[in-house]
């Protein structure tokens, strides 16, 4: 089950998602207020990969962190129809402006570091954003949510935000953004 559709629906299969396919986005597009939450400025540097499934872990952005970043950035509260993006600094591990200067060993090291986990939104932040009825979320990481111990974030369920945001609510996610 995904966003009201089932795998056995006639237009859903391994070679396409029918009405859910990304090729349909351009028909309507996204018109929204873009909200960039700067977690690097908020925490004073690149966020670490979470080591614990705990909202207190500095690599996990919670609902309270989201509210505080909005306050510190002096922007209007997140509201229905917004697109909310998170800058964690994790994407800077292989920033395109520097990538060509790295030798193969350095590139391999950075790829392994980038893929070993990631900071990002925790479940409380995702539930908070979903309750505001945003239409898109994203970040400079490969999942947009915290991925640490056991591939989980704030809780123990792997990819808990993907389940809550995309599967259950149909909220689009953009990953690996360059801020």
């Amino acid at each position: 089950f995904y966003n009201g559709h089932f795998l056995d629906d006639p237009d859903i299969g391994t070679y396409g998602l029918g009405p859910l396919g990304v090729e349909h986005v351009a028909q309507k597009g996204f018109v929204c207020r873009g909200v960039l939450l700067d977690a690097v400025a908020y925490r004073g540097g690149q966020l670490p990969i979470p080591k614990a499934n705990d909202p207190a872990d500095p690599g996990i952005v919670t609902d309270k962190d989201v509210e505080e970043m909005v306050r510190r950035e002096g922007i209007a509260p997140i509201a229905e129809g917004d697109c909310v993006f998170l800058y964690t600094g994790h994407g800077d591990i292989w920033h395109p402006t520097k990538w060509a200067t790295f030798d193969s060993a350095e590139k391999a090291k950075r790829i392994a570091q980038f893929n070993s986990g990631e900071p990002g939104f925790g479940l409380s932040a995702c539930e908070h954003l979903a309750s505001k009825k945003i239409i898109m979320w994203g970040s400079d990481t490969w999942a947009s949510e915290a991925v640490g111990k056991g591939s989980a974030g704030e809780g123990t369920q792997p990819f808990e935000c993907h389940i809550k945001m995309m599967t259950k609510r149909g909220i689009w996610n953009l990953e690996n953004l360059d801020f």
Side-chain angles (χ1 to χ4, degrees), residues 6-173:
F6 295 88
L7 188 56
D8 58 358
D9 286 354
D11 56 351
I12 305 289
T14 55
Y15 294 102
L17 294 174
L20 300 177
V22 71
E23 67 273 15
H24 301 293
V25 172
Q27 292 172 353
K28 293 188 179 184
F30 287 98
V31 177
C32 61
R33 176 181 76 132
V35 176
L36 177 58
L37 301 174
D38 188 348
V40 172
Y42 175 63
R43 295 262 168 87
Q46 179 180 329
L47 275 62
I49 294 169
K51 292 184 172 50
N53 303 117
D54 182 337
D57 189 294
I60 297 173
V61 174
T62 67
D63 56 338
K64 290 176 179 47
D65 295 326
V66 168
E67 289 296 316
E68 184 60 19
M69 282 186 274
V70 166
R71 189 190 71 73
R72 286 187 188 187
E73 291 176 24
I75 57 178
I78 293 169
E80 183 173 351
D82 284 349
C83 296
V84 180
F85 305 104
L86 180 67
Y87 173 51
T88 68
H90 193 71
D92 294 341
I93 292 170
W94 62 354
H95 197 278
T97 60
K98 300 174 188 167
W99 191 252
T101 66
F102 302 140
D103 64 23
S104 59
E106 182 65 20
K107 287 178 180 178
K109 178 182 130 195
R110 288 173 180 262
I111 289 169
Q113 180 185 6
F114 186 81
N115 291 330
S116 66
E118 64 180 31
F121 290 118
L123 183 58
S124 65
C126 291
E127 289 176 336
H128 173 72
L129 295 173
S131 76
K132 299 290 186 178
K133 298 184 179 178
I134 67 166
I135 61 171
M136 182 185 295
W137 60 304
S139 76
D140 61 337
T141 63
W142 47 262
S144 298
E145 66 183 281
V147 179
K149 183 180 175 185
S151 295
E154 198 170 337
T156 58
Q157 169 69 51
F159 302 102
E160 56 200 0
C161 285
H162 273 68
I163 294 167
K164 296 284 184 179
M165 299 285 275
M166 297 162 59
T167 307
K168 301 279 184 182
R169 302 218 184 185
I171 301 172
W172 284 79
N173 180 18

